[in-house]
């Protein structure tokens, strides 16, 4: 379609009205980073201001997969020297456990096993297969990782069909909860 003139355009003959430009606005992108998303959940915790600082530091220490791979002593030193916040390993562990309740499930894990356990323990409708999956990840993860399914069947006294359902419980989990964001 050709641009049309409106009567109000007659004041300035160089201006031409284009009906395709009516009522168009530029959409604003409202997005946040993975760490900002987790930081927004800190306010839901029952922590004092100092503990919130520690929680935000822990969140800032998570890698892109959502894991906490830093040494606790290094984080304690960072908090003391950079933010003048004194803490200890017990308090750090307590606050990390609070962060591990955040969404997505598995955030703040220090290993793949811990990530999977967090997710399994947070399942809304756990089954007997979920319970066996938890035990496998807690005590027999090496056998699972090496696919020694015959040994797992013997340990749990289950047949191949039941073990297949247990394995599905585990393989449906997200090993990279931060990567999903």
């Amino acid at each position: 379609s050709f641009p049309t003139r409106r009567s109000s355009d007659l004041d300035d003959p160089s201006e031409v009205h284009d009906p395709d430009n009516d009522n168009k606005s530029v959409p604003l992108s409202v997005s946040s980073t993975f760490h900002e998303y987790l930081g927004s959940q800190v306010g839901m915790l029952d922590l004092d201001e100092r503990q919130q600082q520690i929680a935000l530091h822990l969140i800032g220490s998570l890698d892109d997969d959502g894991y906490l791979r830093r040494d606790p002593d290094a984080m304690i030193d960072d908090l003391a020297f950079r933010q003048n916040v004194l803490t200890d390993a017990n308090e750090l562990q307590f606050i990390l456990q609070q962060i591990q309740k955040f969404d997505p499930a598995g955030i703040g894990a220090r290993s793949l096993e811990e990530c999977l356990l967090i997710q399994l323990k947070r399942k809304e409708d756990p089954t007997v297969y979920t319970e066996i999956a938890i035990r496998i990840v807690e005590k027999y993860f090496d056998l699972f990782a090496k696919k020694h399914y015959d040994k797992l069947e013997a340990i749990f006294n289950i047949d191949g069909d039941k073990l297949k359902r247990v394995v599905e419980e585990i393989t449906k989990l997200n090993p990279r909860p931060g990567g999903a964001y």
Side-chain angles (χ1 to χ4, degrees), residues 1-151:
S1 74
F2 293 105
T4 57
R5 282 187 167 257
R6 294 182 296 179
S7 59
S8 61
D9 293 337
L10 296 177
D11 297 341
D12 183 357
S14 66
E15 288 190 26
V16 176
H17 174 71
D18 183 353
D20 290 337
N21 286 333
D22 286 352
N23 298 322
K24 288 189 178 174
S25 61
V26 177
L28 295 176
S29 174
V30 180
S31 64
S32 62
T33 67
F34 168 64
H35 292 91
E36 288 170 341
Y37 172 67
L38 295 174
S40 71
Q41 297 179 64
V42 169
M44 296 184 294
L45 298 176
D46 186 25
L47 300 175
D48 62 33
E49 188 175 324
R50 187 181 71 69
Q51 290 173 322
Q52 285 185 6
Q53 276 185 280
I54 296 168
L56 291 172
H57 184 80
L58 287 171
I59 288 168
S61 297
L62 298 178
D63 66 18
D64 290 341
D65 291 336
Y67 286 82
L68 183 63
R69 301 191 197 270
R70 292 202 60 218
D71 178 61
D73 290 334
M75 290 184 289
I76 290 168
D77 289 347
D78 281 352
L79 283 160
F81 294 118
R82 292 184 183 176
Q83 297 182 30
N84 200 26
V85 174
L86 299 178
T87 189
D88 60 26
N90 290 332
E91 185 176 39
L92 212 61
Q93 176 64 26
F94 168 77
I95 294 171
L96 178 60
Q97 288 172 338
Q98 303 308 304
I99 291 169
Q100 289 176 343
K101 296 176 185 174
F102 289 176
D103 287 322
I107 287 301
R110 292 159 289 189
S111 67
L112 175 59
E113 294 95 318
E114 186 176 29
C115 178
L116 299 176
L117 276 174
I118 291 168
Q119 293 175 63
L120 286 166
K121 290 179 177 181
R122 282 182 53 180
K123 285 192 114 177
E124 289 184 21
D125 298 314
T127 66
V128 67
Y129 304 112
T130 309
E131 296 303 318
I132 295 171
I134 289 170
R135 290 177 51 206
I136 287 174
V137 172
E138 283 178 334
K139 297 183 187 219
Y140 304 101
F141 191 74
D142 193 46
L143 291 176
F144 171 77
K146 292 179 180 175
K147 299 183 179 183
H148 291 301
Y149 298 140
D150 55 334
K151 291 180 183 177

